[in-house]
Amino acid sequence: MQDTSFAIHPGTKKQLVGENLKDIGAVTSYKVNEGMVNFKTENGYVRILFHSNRTVRVTMNPKHEPTLTTSFAVVEERLRVTPIVSDNENVVQIKTTELIVNVMKTPFRLTVTDSSGKTIIQEINKGLAFNENGEVICFKKMEDNDHFYGFGEKTGFLDKRGEKMEMWNTDVYAPHNPETDALYQSIPFFITLRDGHAHGVFFDNTGKSHFDLKSESNTYSFKAESGQMDYYVFTGPTMKDVLGQYTQLTGTMPIPPKWALGYHQSRYSYETDEEVRQLVNDFLKKEIPVDAIYLDIHYMDGYRVFTFDRDRFPDPKGLIEDLKKVGMKIVPIVDPGVKEDPEYDIYQEGVRESHFCKYVEGNIYFGDVWPGNSAFPDFTSTKARKWWGEKHKYYTDLGIEGIWNDMNEPAIFNDTKTMDVKVMHENDGDPKTHRQLHNVYGFLMGEATYEGMKKQLNGKRTFLLTRAGYAGVQRYASVWTGDNRSFWEHLQLALPMCMNLGMSGVAFCGPDVGGFAHDSSGELLVRWTQFGTFTPYFRNHSAINTVRQEPWSFGENVEKLTKKYIEQRYVWMPHLYTLFREANQTGVPVMRPLVLEYPTDENTVNLSDQFMIGDNVLVAPIMTPTTSHRVVYFPEGRWINYWTEEVLVGNKHHLVEAPLDILPIFIKEGSIIPHGTVKQSTAIPETELTYHIYLGEKNAASYRLYEDDGTTFGYENGATFEQEITCERENNLISISLKESNGSYDPTWIKETFVLHHCEDDLDIIINGEEVDHSQKNYNKLKKSLTFTIDR
């Protein structure tokens, strides 16, 4: 009855997590060993080591010396950093060329500063503690000007100061709202911004954990209900530096296959071969671009994974081949629950080869999900992950290149919503309960799926979409934000949720466009599709028994406008693809909060209703009904309205007009933006590239374009194309330089068009030392733009 007033009955006192805490106490001794400093305290043990020159790791265990075994999230090998350790009465100082860790002995309190003495993190009244229930906790000083970002998939505004958050992967179908916590992903990492300087903390605990930035005005805490205290401090000093340090530790995302970045169409469910073919024909007839069609659970035989219902889909291979001919992919859903059926080969193998989750007594755990009573692979076992990955040959043999993992929190139809926490995971010889490993179940299913598909596809990139995950999930999967609703409020929630996922290392993310549950409307679908044009992951998905929300579902005008913005996705693809390469290299997200680019601008610290694509494109969606204007904040500089060419001065708010057919987009002066062409899908090679050049008052702009074949892992071995474009103006002379890198990939386009915005018609233009003939130039007086095309 927790969804009724019974939830606030005065007689139902809730036991508080974190009661009866015991401080770790004073230092009684310490020793230095292999670059680590091991402290014995009155009530436990603490170990401090440098993972790299700018990353400190702190572990605490009240019972014995902390283990250095990391979770599945960590992939970076520890550098051998040897600090200088000195003892000054009540302080032990641990120092490198970059950082200083001061440990006060009585009681144990830790402070981390940079080499100049600037405080990064500090413990004062409270520090490390625990209780007899096995909970561990860490307190840190919170400054008045601290702002907090990341924490993975959370509702609410961008800055999480003043929030309490829980990490426990949970299937939440009930409408999401600002107090909904926890959701499907658990990423216990955050960035703190203080006076323009940033640091980060990753609390590497795979059980249930809690972050409290609310209860005290000058202290925050993070705690776990099981396991030891184990956290990393990333010392920045910029937000991008912190993201780079965190994703160096947990891995960056691979570059997705280009088709995964196109428009995707889904519904729960497209139930038959005939329905899928009609859907595809409608897209083709209406010339609306699309790259992938999704199959929800109805494609399976009795919801058994690794099967097709041959009555509904008599020839799945033929269907997939026919779609591939017109440039489209099929992405089927695969859940972890394996139907208990002694005549079902997957179930037989799982039982015989001991791949399923079990209790300590040896009996298999069963839970109720879509197929009914089901067993669940123990993905903590390397052997089980390999087995599960190999089973995906069933899909690759049919021509499938992408998979959708759902229900992998794991979600179970019971009161707890998940697996019995007493289940004992094999964990490759280090058994732990589900209570301790719950948050990595979906992550490890993702690893099994991704690695299995990658092996089966023989050099082709695969695509994986997941609902559940943990820190490091970016190595394997794109994340969608789960079962949202067709509410304007959920469109509003999607912006800060996606931005904070990006600030948690998950650059490839997005919500269900149009909303999953409830009935959408034409206006909401248009506005959500406009936003979706620039979300890293772009899929329209809706639930069973809701109104259809394909682009044409609400009449001709809505169809025209949704088509316009789906087409824009393909026009902007060269820029988006370049930004995905940046995410692959640096961990910096594609979709960015303004505070990431302008961390010293106080107007950006909690700006939750607009965002940036890269460092020079500002997007401000309309997120309320019957609205044709909105206020947009512009940081320093001058900004160009993408549609009207109007120049807007920064460091101020502007009222911007945006009728239903307009998504407000603005380009910062001094930028170059590459555009491709409208096409039915990414399977059609790009033939012409257009560079839009916005020189502005500085009379200079530059851009580094990235391209590869979009399908294979050749980019990891140098099969790339990069082109540095610089443009400068001196009086009436425009000089453009194009410098190609020495990568081995030869791009498909044969023409390059240049559009100079806000210029006169009497300019002389030189490209790589050669003058552009006047006859090649086309001047638009209305837009004051000069266009010319050259052969590549």
Side-chain angles (χ1 to χ4, degrees):
M1 294 189 291
Q2 294 303 305
D3 58 351
T4 72
S5 297
F6 179 80
I8 52 174
H9 192 292
T12 56
K13 183 182 177 183
K14 194 174 181 181
Q15 184 178 2
L16 297 176
V17 174
E19 289 183 331
N20 303 317
L21 292 173
K22 180 182 286 188
D23 191 274
I24 197 71
V27 174
T28 58
S29 64
Y30 71 91
K31 59 184 178 181
V32 181
N33 182 30
E34 296 183 348
M36 296 178 285
V37 185
N38 301 282
F39 293 89
K40 173 74 174 69
T41 70
E42 292 172 319
N43 299 314
Y45 303 82
V46 183
R47 179 173 281 166
I48 297 173
L49 60 92
F50 288 86
H51 197 82
S52 69
N53 285 316
R54 299 204 64 88
T55 302
V56 179
R57 184 181 179 191
V58 180
T59 57
M60 180 273 281
N61 196 305
K63 297 179 180 179
H64 53 74
E65 286 195 352
T67 174
L68 289 181
T69 302
T70 61
S71 80
F72 301 92
V74 176
V75 292
E76 182 190 39
E77 292 290 330
R78 174 191 163 212
L79 296 178
R80 291 296 175 184
V81 179
T82 303
I84 299 171
V85 181
S86 58
D87 193 330
N88 304 311
E89 294 187 13
N90 194 38
V91 175
V92 177
Q93 186 176 87
I94 311 163
K95 185 177 181 180
T96 72
T97 56
E98 303 277 351
L99 296 172
I100 301 169
V101 178
N102 287 316
V103 175
M104 187 170 71
K105 294 181 184 177
T106 309
F108 183 103
R109 295 291 183 264
L110 179 147
T111 299
V112 178
T113 67
D114 64 18
S115 56
S116 70
K118 179 185 284 292
T119 299
I120 296 169
I121 60 168
Q122 187 175 19
E123 299 168 359
I124 299 180
N125 295 326
K126 293 184 285 188
L128 293 165
F130 61 96
N131 66 19
E132 296 306 315
N133 295 328
E135 299 165 359
V136 289
I137 190 167
C138 183
F139 296 91
K140 303 292 182 191
K141 183 181 179 183
M142 181 162 59
E143 302 288 354
D144 292 341
N145 50 349
D146 282 354
H147 304 279
F148 297 88
Y149 308 97
F151 299 101
E153 183 183 59
K154 297 296 178 185
T155 59
F157 292 106
L158 184 70
D159 184 357
K160 296 306 180 187
R161 185 176 184 131
E163 299 285 344
K164 281 183 171 182
M165 290 160 286
E166 180 181 285
M167 302 289 173
W168 183 255
N169 290 354
T170 305
D171 174 16
V172 183
Y173 182 73
H176 305 165
N177 60 61
E179 69 174 5
T180 303
D181 190 44
L183 284 168
Y184 315 90
Q185 295 273 334
S186 293
I187 303 177
F189 163 77
F190 64 91
I191 299 172
T192 303
L193 179 67
R194 179 187 304 152
D195 296 331
H197 295 272
H199 64 268
V201 171
F202 168 42
F203 180 25
D204 191 12
N205 187 292
T206 59
K208 184 178 287 188
S209 60
H210 306 261
F211 293 78
D212 186 352
L213 289 70
K214 181 177 185 177
S215 296
E216 300 182 52
S217 61
N218 60 358
T219 304
Y220 70 85
S221 66
F222 47 93
K223 60 192 173 189
E225 296 184 23
S226 63
Q228 66 180 16
M229 176 59 62
D230 189 350
Y231 69 93
Y232 298 77
V233 180
F234 308 98
T235 54
T238 70
M239 297 176 84
K240 290 183 180 180
D241 288 336
V242 173
L243 276 168
Q245 291 154 11
Y246 168 70
T247 54
Q248 189 172 348
L249 182 77
T250 62
T252 58
M253 64 172 293
I255 303 178
K258 196 171 283 188
W259 67 264
L261 307 185
Y263 174 73
H264 294 190
Q265 184 65 51
S266 183
R267 182 168 173 83
Y268 170 38
S269 289
Y270 297 123
E271 297 190 21
T272 65
D273 178 289
E274 183 180 11
E275 187 177 8
V276 172
R277 290 181 184 276
Q278 183 59 56
L279 177 74
V280 169
N281 288 336
D282 287 340
F283 272 103
L284 294 172
K285 182 176 67 175
K286 296 172 181 293
E287 297 182 338
I288 299 174
V290 64
D291 264 275
I293 306 297
Y294 285 63
L295 299 182
D296 213 315
I297 58 174
H298 289 91
Y299 82 88
M300 292 182 267
D301 177 12
Y303 308 129
R304 294 169 179 84
V305 290
F306 308 110
T307 69
F308 267 85
D309 183 325
R310 293 305 174 127
D311 290 328
R312 296 173 184 263
F313 292 89
D315 182 15
K317 188 168 187 176
L319 173 66
I320 291 158
E321 287 177 351
D322 288 346
L323 264 63
K324 196 169 287 189
K325 289 174 185 175
V326 293
M328 299 182 203
K329 310 287 188 186
I330 285 284
V331 180
I333 196 168
V334 179
D335 296 341
V338 175
K339 184 177 179 65
E340 182 196 16
D341 176 357
E343 297 181 354
Y344 172 33
D345 59 343
I346 303 297
Y347 178 71
Q348 290 173 1
E349 282 185 34
V351 172
R352 280 199 314 266
E353 299 174 14
S354 196
H355 293 311
F356 292 134
C357 294
K358 298 176 182 178
Y359 289 101
V360 68
E361 294 83 4
N363 49 313
I364 293 174
Y365 168 79
F366 291 99
D368 183 28
V369 280
W370 304 118
N373 208 39
S374 300
F376 294 81
D378 185 355
F379 292 118
T380 70
S381 160
T382 300
K383 185 180 75 165
R385 291 198 301 276
K386 184 173 183 289
W387 170 72
W388 189 260
E390 288 170 349
K391 294 295 105 181
H392 286 76
K393 187 174 187 297
Y394 173 81
Y395 293 112
T396 57
D397 283 352
L398 295 173
I400 288 168
E401 298 176 21
I403 297 293
W404 167 21
N405 282 170
D406 194 15
M407 302 289 286
N408 55 338
E409 290 75 27
I412 312 290
F413 300 153
N414 61 25
D415 290 341
T416 71
K417 298 185 178 182
T418 195
M419 186 178 288
D420 189 341
V421 295
K422 293 186 291 185
V423 165
M424 185 66 73
H425 291 290
E426 195 271 334
N427 198 33
D428 285 344
D430 182 22
K432 286 189 169 74
T433 64
H434 189 71
R435 183 173 81 106
Q436 296 170 292
L437 294 175
H438 171 82
N439 287 337
V440 289
Y441 189 86
F443 169 91
L444 292 172
M445 181 183 183
E447 180 194 350
T449 303
Y450 179 85
E451 295 296 345
M453 290 290 291
K454 181 179 179 181
K455 183 177 180 180
Q456 299 295 341
L457 289 172
N458 296 317
K460 269 191 175 181
R461 295 179 220 172
T462 187
F463 164 69
L464 175 63
L465 178 67
T466 187
R467 191 168 76 175
Y470 182 69
V473 66
Q474 66 271 6
R475 303 200 301 265
Y476 307 117
S478 171
V479 170
W480 98 102
T481 57
D483 294 342
N484 62 3
R485 291 286 199 276
S486 298
F487 299 159
W488 289 93
E489 294 85 352
H490 280 206
L491 172 55
Q492 295 160 19
L493 280 174
L495 270 72
M497 189 179 286
C498 289
M499 286 189 280
N500 272 319
L501 274 165
M503 298 278 272
S504 306
V506 185
F508 196 8
C509 63
D512 284 338
V513 167
F516 174 66
H518 200 63
D519 289 339
S520 192
S521 68
E523 184 187 12
L524 179 58
L525 181 62
V526 170
R527 291 304 194 188
W528 212 318
T529 304
Q530 290 172 347
F531 167 51
T533 300
F534 289 103
T535 55
Y537 174 64
F538 187 18
R539 178 182 74 157
N540 177 320
H541 184 45
S542 58
I544 196 168
N545 298 324
T546 63
V547 299
R548 306 293 290 233
Q549 59 186 47
E550 290 81 14
W552 51 84
S553 297
F554 296 96
E556 290 184 8
N557 189 51
V558 170
E559 178 184 333
K560 180 179 74 173
L561 296 180
T562 53
K563 178 181 179 180
K564 170 184 174 180
Y565 283 94
I566 292 170
E567 289 176 339
Q568 283 294 307
R569 177 67 166 206
Y570 293 79
V571 169
W572 282 81
M573 187 64 73
H575 185 51
L576 292 170
Y577 199 65
T578 296
L579 293 172
F580 270 96
R581 170 62 166 181
E582 184 179 349
N584 162 256
Q585 294 287 294
T586 68
V588 175
V590 175
M591 177 184 177
R592 305 174 187 176
L594 274 72
V595 71
L596 184 61
E597 297 296 337
Y598 301 94
T600 60
D601 187 336
E602 282 297 314
N603 289 297
T604 69
V605 294
N606 202 17
L607 191 53
S608 304
D609 65 350
Q610 55 188 78
F611 60 94
M612 298 194 71
I613 293 298
D615 61 5
N616 54 8
V617 178
L618 191 155
V619 183
I622 302 297
M623 296 179 290
T624 51
T626 60
T627 301
S628 58
H629 295 79
R630 66 157 290 172
V631 172
V632 179
Y633 176 70
F634 294 90
E636 57 86 15
R638 285 158 52 94
W639 299 80
I640 313 299
N641 187 311
Y642 178 73
W643 305 107
T644 69
E645 303 285 342
E646 178 187 6
V647 179
L648 297 159
V649 177
N651 282 323
K652 67 182 296 187
H653 294 79
H654 291 268
L655 184 64
V656 172
E657 187 175 1
L660 187 58
D661 64 329
I662 294 298
L663 167 68
I665 306 170
F666 305 91
I667 315 297
K668 190 169 188 179
E669 273 193 350
S671 299
I672 299 175
I673 304 294
H675 276 0
T677 56
V678 175
K679 51 184 67 66
Q680 186 64 54
S681 78
T682 57
I684 299 171
E686 192 63 73
T687 57
E688 182 174 341
L689 211 64
T690 299
Y691 294 107
H692 289 268
I693 302 173
Y694 301 85
L695 283 175
E697 294 179 330
K698 292 184 179 179
N699 290 319
S702 64
Y703 186 84
R704 188 172 185 85
L705 176 80
Y706 175 82
E707 178 70 348
D708 58 35
D709 64 20
T711 60
T712 74
F713 287 93
Y715 71 88
E716 295 180 343
N717 300 306
T720 62
F721 173 83
E722 293 185 74
Q723 182 165 258
E724 186 81 31
I725 307 102
T726 58
C727 181
E728 296 179 346
R729 176 174 178 171
E730 186 174 351
N731 298 320
N732 277 356
L733 177 64
I734 300 287
S735 299
I736 298 174
S737 170
L738 305 176
K739 293 182 180 178
E740 297 183 7
S741 70
N742 56 2
S744 62
Y745 178 71
D746 188 20
T748 58
W749 59 85
I750 56 176
K751 292 185 179 297
E752 293 179 324
T753 295
F754 299 83
V755 182
L756 291 163
H757 293 260
H758 287 266
C759 67
E760 308 84 57
D761 64 350
D762 59 346
L763 297 175
D764 295 321
I765 300 171
I766 293 176
I767 297 183
N768 285 352
E770 295 186 11
E771 187 172 358
V772 176
D773 191 88
H774 185 74
S775 63
Q776 294 177 260
K777 305 171 192 173
N778 180 28
Y779 188 73
N780 185 318
K781 291 183 179 180
L782 184 64
K783 291 191 171 184
K784 293 185 178 180
S785 62
L786 186 65
T787 303
F788 55 94
T789 301
I790 63 171
D791 293 330
R792 184 179 161 266

